[in-house]
């Protein structure tokens, strides 16, 4: 006979409702495949007046109805944010319940505290949905690829940013225009700052880096740059030079040094991540045994995320779930690895004679040489324009100093933009 698993659901929004609907839709398939029968015992919400996809007697405003119910086996946290989510996860573990969460923010900030308590109380923890929604990347890294030494991982981890850059390149329209479109379609939050400033991707990168490299980094040890300064001119110029701009998250290890970065990057059009478009996510893992492997799929949305949550629930219920190990190596230092890369630079200028020459001279003074340069002027009376430059492989520090010197000269209308190019 199938084993019945009773779920205490905390949060009944996009992901919580997706979970309810996926259980209703696919319960017979799941039961046949896993011999596990799933039942939502209770669902915690905040607003008593919203319409819910569950009978009223299953919905509660009191979290103790979940912690204190001995018939509940697994607590699923899909509230989001740090508090009260952290407190609820810890309370569930204190009540000896297994937990599943989709919440990258709480894991990035308090993952070690949560996993330590889970270990002490012999509870299982699933967090597949916290990174890349429906893509089973956590299982792959903690189990399927366990035999590999991984030295590099590159991903497109934020669907909102990828959607915005894709649409900007399809329609040649501005960041603000596409952001409103994304908000209308439910692909961007009303406050999109976590997504477009790279913070959401940085939370996910911290989780992936911990699993892959056993390192514990803090947010202030990661380089984080958003996509909010990219203009249609950048997209078009990158395209003309044979590149696409993508929101990238990278973890690279070099001996005891780790470089964790989130920033936009120019990728050659044939790069495996260059064809990951719209709200899709992907992770490229380089393992010493498997070589390059790509995971690709929907990184968000009600049903894709619920699919990952449900997979954790079933794996835990079958008791063959491998608890991801959170076992940081203390020797690792976090610092940018001083490798060189080519850069795309854009200098917003007033149209005056000799501007390209002046910029090129300062770059040359810092040992930066140029492969391509072009100027574009606005067709109006403002006398403004942009100089775009692609450099030979250069050190990040040299680029930063050169940009500061060019800005000090007072010939720019705005701060210059520098985007790394990945070959
Ligand atoms: N949405 C996605 O595509 C996606 C993808 C991957 C991961 N995630 C993660 O999944 C989690 C949930 O995201 P979501 O999009 O489903 O969020 P959401 O739509 O805003 O839903 C949040 C739910 O939590 C409830 N809630 C909020 N504060 C509460 C409190 N103090 N006490 C009790 N209940 C509370 C809300 O109650 P009311 O309904 O009463 O307002 C709502 O039902 C987040 O950590 C998110 O990062 C989401």
């Amino acid at each position: 006979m199938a084993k019945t698993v009773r779920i205490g659901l905390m949060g009944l929004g996009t992901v919580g409702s997706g979970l309810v609907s996926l259980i209703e839709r696919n319960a017979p398939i799941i039961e046949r495949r896993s011999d596990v029968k799933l039942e939502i015992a209770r669902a915690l919400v905040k607003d008593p007046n919203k319409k819910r996809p569950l009978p009223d007697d299953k919905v509660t405003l009191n979290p103790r109805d979940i912690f204190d119910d001995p018939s509940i086996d697994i607590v699923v946290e899909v509230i989001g944010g740090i508090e009260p989510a952290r407190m609820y996860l810890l309370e569930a573990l204190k009540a000896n319940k297994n937990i599943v969460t989709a919440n990258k923010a709480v894991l990035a900030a308090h993952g070690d505290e949560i996993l330590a308590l889970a270990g002490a109380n012999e509870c299982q923890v699933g967090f597949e949905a916290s990174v890349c929604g429906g893509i089973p990347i956590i299982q792959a890294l903690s189990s399927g690829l366990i035999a590999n030494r991984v030295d590099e991982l590159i991903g497109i981890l934020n669907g909102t940013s990828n959607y915005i850059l894709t649409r900007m390149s399809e329609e040649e329209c501005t960041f603000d225009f596409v952001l409103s479109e994304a908000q209308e379609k439910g692909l961007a939050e009303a406050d999109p700052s976590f997504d477009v400033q790279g913070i959401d991707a940085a939370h996910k990168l911290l989780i992936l880096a911990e699993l892959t490299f056993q390192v514990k980094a803090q947010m202030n040890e990661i380089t984080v740059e958003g996509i909010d300064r990219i203009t249609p001119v950048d997209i078009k110029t990158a395209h003309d030079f044979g590149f696409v701009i993508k929101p990238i998250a990278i973890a690279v290890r070099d001996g005891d040094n780790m470089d964790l970065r989130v920033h936009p990057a120019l990728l050659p059009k044939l790069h495996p991540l260059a064809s990951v478009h719209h709200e899709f996510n992907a992770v490229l893992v380089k393992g010493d045994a498997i070589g390059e492997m790509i995971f690709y799929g929907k990184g968000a949305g009600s049903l894709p995320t619920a699919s990952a949550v449900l997979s954790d629930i079933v794996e835990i219920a079958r008791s063959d779930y491998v608890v991801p190990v959170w076992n940081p190596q203390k020797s690792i230092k976090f610092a940018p690895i001083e490798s060189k890369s080519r850069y795309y630079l854009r200098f917003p200028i007033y149209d005056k004679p000799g501007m390209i020459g002046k910029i090129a001279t300062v770059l040359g003074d810092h040992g930066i040489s140029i492969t391509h340069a072009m100027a574009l002027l606005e067709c109006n009376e403002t006398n403004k324009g942009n100089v775009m430059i692609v450099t030979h492989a250069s050190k990040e520090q040299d680029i930063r100093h050169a940009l500061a010197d060019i800005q000090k000269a007072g010939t720019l209308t705005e701060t210059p933009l520098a985007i790394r190019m990945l070959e």
Side-chain angles (χ1 to χ4, degrees):
M1 207 172 89
K3 173 181 178 183
T4 299
V5 169
R6 281 171 57 84
I7 299 162
L9 182 56
M10 310 198 93
L12 200 40
T14 306
V15 181
S17 302
L19 185 68
V20 172
S21 129
L22 198 55
I23 289 175
E24 270 170 21
R25 187 206 286 192
N26 287 348
I29 301 175
I30 296 164
E31 192 175 328
R32 263 202 313 278
R33 281 191 191 150
S34 64
D35 223 16
V36 170
K37 192 168 181 292
L38 301 167
E39 190 185 314
I40 307 275
R42 275 293 169 94
L44 175 78
V45 297
K46 192 168 158 189
D47 181 345
N49 300 315
K50 282 189 197 164
K51 199 168 155 16
R52 305 294 177 179
L54 286 173
D56 287 350
D57 62 341
K58 292 212 168 195
V59 177
T60 179
L61 300 176
N62 182 1
R64 294 249 59 102
D65 286 345
I66 290 178
F67 307 136
D68 298 340
D69 181 344
S71 76
I72 289 179
D73 308 286
I74 295 181
V75 169
V76 174
E77 184 274 310
V78 281
I79 290 175
I82 305 287
E83 294 293 358
R86 170 187 155 274
M87 187 175 61
Y88 289 171
L89 287 167
L90 294 175
E91 280 300 308
L93 292 169
K94 283 179 201 159
N96 284 100
K97 298 191 188 300
N98 298 313
I99 57 169
V100 172
T101 179
N103 187 339
K104 60 239 141 194
V106 80
L107 286 171
H110 300 286
D112 36 9
E113 181 188 18
I114 291 164
L115 285 175
L117 183 60
N121 288 9
E122 296 184 4
C123 296
Q124 306 213 55
V125 182
F127 49 91
E128 184 63 74
S130 65
V131 182
C132 295
I135 305 173
I137 185 70
I138 303 288
Q139 271 285 357
L141 289 173
S142 51
S143 179
L145 300 179
I146 195 84
N148 285 261
R149 177 190 165 97
V150 175
D151 281 323
E152 190 171 343
L153 181 150
I154 311 177
I156 295 180
L157 306 183
N158 184 268
T160 306
S161 297
N162 197 33
Y163 178 84
I164 290 174
L165 292 181
T166 306
R167 292 289 296 141
M168 281 174 77
S169 72
E170 285 172 345
E171 303 288 340
E172 292 192 24
C173 42
T174 63
F175 175 87
D176 289 337
F177 178 88
V178 179
L179 174 60
S180 318
E181 181 189 81
Q183 284 167 327
E184 273 164 34
K185 288 188 165 185
L187 293 169
E189 305 275 344
D191 175 2
S193 40
F194 260 44
D195 291 320
V196 302
Q197 290 170 7
I199 298 163
D200 172 81
H203 285 153
K204 294 168 179 169
L205 185 64
L206 282 177
I207 296 169
L208 291 184
E210 293 214 15
L211 278 180
T212 316
F213 306 101
Q214 280 74 55
V215 293
K216 174 74 193 150
Q218 303 297 329
M219 279 296 277
N220 60 9
E221 291 169 309
I222 302 190
T223 302
V224 183
E225 293 164 20
I227 60 156
D228 40 351
R229 292 197 55 228
I230 291 172
T231 65
V233 170
D234 303 316
I235 305 252
K236 167 91 174 52
T237 313
H239 177 81
D240 292 347
F241 290 154
F243 290 82
V244 289
I245 305 183
K246 289 287 170 195
I248 290 293
I250 304 180
V252 193
R253 174 166 51 193
D254 183 10
D256 272 354
N257 197 15
M258 275 227 72
D259 194 359
L260 300 176
R261 292 185 271 126
V262 171
H263 54 72
L266 269 74
L267 305 183
K269 284 179 186 164
L270 290 179
H271 190 284
L273 297 183
S275 52
V276 177
H277 296 313
H278 296 108
E279 68 271 38
F280 278 80
N281 283 189
V283 182
L284 171 66
V285 182
K286 294 183 187 175
D288 63 347
I290 45 116
E292 289 192 357
M293 184 172 260
I294 285 213
F295 299 84
Y296 169 85
K298 286 202 174 158
S302 181
L303 289 178
T305 312
S307 157
V309 170
L310 233 164
S311 115
D312 276 345
I313 295 171
V314 171
E315 291 304 301
I316 289 175
R318 290 203 296 197
S319 296
D320 56 0
Y321 185 65
V322 181
V323 182
V325 178
W326 208 276
N327 191 10
Q329 298 179 60
K330 303 244 174 346
S331 61
I332 299 282
K333 304 270 175 300
F334 299 96
I337 292 173
E338 255 313 334
S339 63
K340 290 182 169 183
S341 71
R342 295 171 74 200
Y343 276 81
Y344 162 83
L345 308 173
R346 177 169 55 81
F347 300 92
I349 51 157
Y350 289 111
D351 177 22
K352 288 186 196 157
M355 288 303 293
I356 293 190
K358 282 181 190 163
I359 290 169
T361 303
V362 181
L363 291 175
D365 291 345
H366 288 271
I368 298 162
S369 55
I370 294 172
T371 62
H372 301 72
M374 66 185 285
L376 267 185
L377 300 175
E378 287 174 15
C379 299
N380 56 32
E381 294 90 59
T382 57
N383 235 14
K384 287 183 184 173
N386 286 290
V387 169
M388 277 79 67
I389 282 173
V390 174
T391 71
H392 274 295
S394 311
K395 285 187 182 166
E396 183 177 346
Q397 213 182 345
D398 294 338
I399 294 280
R400 246 191 274 127
H401 290 156
L403 262 52
D405 284 353
I406 292 167
Q407 227 180 330
K408 260 188 250 156
T411 44
L412 302 184
T413 59
E414 288 170 42
T415 313
L417 179 75
I419 309 181
R420 294 165 190 82
M421 302 173 85
L422 295 191
E423 305 295 343

